[in-house]
Amino acid sequence: MQSHDSSAPGGLAAIFARLIAATGPISIAHYMAEANARYYASRDPLGAAGDFVTAPEISQMFGELIGLWLADIWQRAGSPEGVCYVELGPGRGTLARDALRAASQAGLVPEVHFVETSPALRALQQAAHPHAVWHHDLSGLPGDRPLLIVANEFLDALPVRQLVRTVGGWRERMVGVDSEGGFIPVAGARPMDAAVPAGSAGAGEGAIVETSPAAATVVQEVAGRLAMQGGAALFIDYGYAEPQLGSTLQAVRAHRKVDVFAEPGEADLTAHVDFATLAEVAEQAGARWLGTSGQGAWLAALGIGARAGSLARAAPHAAEAIEAAALRLTAPSEMGTLFKVMGLAAPGWPYGAGLSRVRADTTG
Ligand code: SAH
């Protein structure tokens, strides 16, 4: 067991402190990227004994319904041969296991590719999926076949960039060190007014504009591949339907929110995903945006109620737990509304089950 002490000599806090002392404050994006790389590299953060619980770890129903969604759109696209299942940040491999089992019952048995940087999680994925192929990023994925791409709680872990409005105009939000040696947010020295989207430029002092160039880059690459190769993609994450001001950066450790700046590398850093911007990025890169729905409404449309009922009939002793899991995934007070599902597809591919192209800003 390695010791997880961020301020120990090899710890990330000590490395950041030396770097900031030598070269000045580092950007929020740099801080988040390094902290999460360190965080994920060494551990399995999922589950009750870890730091957080994700939808596929709550119930097999989640992955199964994703597998059926993929099989359905693939069949309506004419069941093209040689299709690949691609998962970004597959965690323990649980979603892939449930999705591939359900998909195979519907006649879809794809080659399996995982994009994963964490050696610790790769080892767990390998045990569950011995025949999968691993990649560090999307660049090495097959380029000549349709791709069925899934990413659950992946985009929220990618680094965000923050700009803050100061008396002297917009600046990059950076991480510096206070008189006691603790990390604190500070405004950068260089004017950044040109980087602020026009709609936010007039915001008052203290306002923060948050963007995720890394998430946009992933969605752009996925969309470009769908346009070239065919296929469909599901991005599931917590986030907002429309862009908004303010920092959503948060740190979670042992199921509690903790200070983002307290122990870099020892807590999971995430930020809300800006789905409206990502839908635009996808369409500009040539993919079809199939719609973005609340996770609860989407799972309900795919039949989670019926699936929960049949699982409960097969295992009456577990009926209460199955019902509780379904509620946790779908209830508006739980994951049902905050979590959203964005579907993309190649231009010639059909619509996606349970999704509709109604933008939140056109409904009311
Ligand atoms: N999808 C899983 C795990 C979510 S946690 C689930 O729902 O349970 C985030 C996952 O993304 C982990 O597997 C983590 O190692 C991986 N990850 C985080 N940043 C990454 C990056 N930049 N490139 C590739 N994988 C990354």
Side-chain angles (χ1 to χ4, degrees):
M1 230 11 233
Q2 87 187 77
S3 86
H4 290 310
D5 179 358
S6 189
S7 55
L12 192 56
I15 293 171
F16 278 155
R18 277 201 304 278
L19 179 63
I20 293 169
T23 64
I26 58 175
S27 69
I28 291 275
H30 180 173
Y31 180 89
M32 184 175 178
E34 293 280 347
N36 271 353
R38 169 75 66 121
Y39 174 76
Y40 281 108
S42 57
R43 75 196 84 202
D44 170 13
L46 297 158
D51 291 326
F52 59 95
V53 176
T54 56
E57 303 296 336
I58 291 172
S59 168
Q60 69 187 75
M61 294 183 283
F62 184 76
E64 287 170 349
L65 292 171
I66 288 173
L68 292 177
W69 188 93
L70 296 173
D72 171 62
I73 197 168
W74 170 74
Q75 277 168 358
R76 286 184 294 107
S79 308
E81 304 250 322
V83 68
C84 296
Y85 173 92
V86 176
E87 192 172 336
L88 314 181
R92 289 178 174 170
T94 307
L95 193 168
R97 185 196 65 203
D98 296 332
L100 291 166
R101 186 182 60 247
S104 78
Q105 284 161 9
L108 168 62
V109 184
E111 206 174 279
V112 177
H113 292 259
F114 290 149
V115 175
E116 175 62 68
T117 42
S118 160
L121 288 172
R122 270 193 189 202
L124 289 177
Q125 292 155 18
Q126 202 142 23
H129 302 275
H131 303 299
V133 181
W134 278 265
H135 307 265
H136 268 279
D137 54 44
L138 284 79
S139 62
L141 291 171
D144 55 353
R145 280 167 283 165
L147 304 178
L148 299 171
I149 302 175
V150 178
N152 185 62
E153 292 215 47
F154 173 74
L155 297 176
D156 69 356
L158 301 181
V160 290
R161 165 185 221 186
Q162 293 183 345
L163 301 169
V164 58
R165 177 75 188 258
T166 69
V167 196
W170 289 93
R171 302 292 167 86
E172 178 124 19
R173 200 162 180 244
M174 319 276 288
V175 181
V177 173
D178 67 14
S179 56
E180 266 125 54
F183 297 116
I184 46 160
V186 297
R190 275 202 301 142
M192 296 298 292
D193 301 76
V196 177
S200 307
E205 197 185 324
I208 292 172
V209 168
E210 184 178 88
T211 59
S212 182
T217 301
V218 166
V219 168
Q220 187 176 38
E221 166 130 27
V222 164
R225 280 176 173 270
L226 295 180
M228 293 284 293
Q229 299 172 224
L234 287 173
F235 287 96
I236 304 158
D237 233 306
Y238 81 113
Y240 35 84
E242 291 304 312
Q244 56 183 38
L245 287 172
S247 171
T248 70
L249 185 57
Q250 67 168 37
V252 166
R253 188 174 191 180
H255 308 275
R256 278 169 211 274
K257 282 194 189 176
V258 297
D259 181 354
V260 165
F261 301 111
E263 288 192 274
E266 304 306 327
D268 181 43
L269 296 184
T270 59
H272 284 233
V273 172
D274 175 357
F275 281 102
T277 298
L278 294 179
E280 279 171 29
V281 167
E283 288 187 319
Q284 276 163 22
R288 279 183 70 205
W289 174 67
L290 302 175
T292 303
S293 290
Q295 174 174 297
W298 185 71
L299 291 173
L302 295 188
I304 192 171
R307 183 65 185 135
S310 78
L311 284 174
R313 279 191 296 283
H317 61 281
E320 251 175 63
I322 293 164
E323 185 55 30
L327 265 179
R328 197 165 162 198
L329 294 174
T330 58
S333 59
E334 305 260 350
M335 301 174 78
T337 313
L338 178 62
F339 279 77
K340 296 176 176 63
V341 181
M342 179 174 79
L344 305 176
W349 277 48
Y351 72 89
L355 296 171
S356 78
R357 291 173 47 98
V358 179
R359 286 205 198 262
D361 59 352
T362 60
T363 53

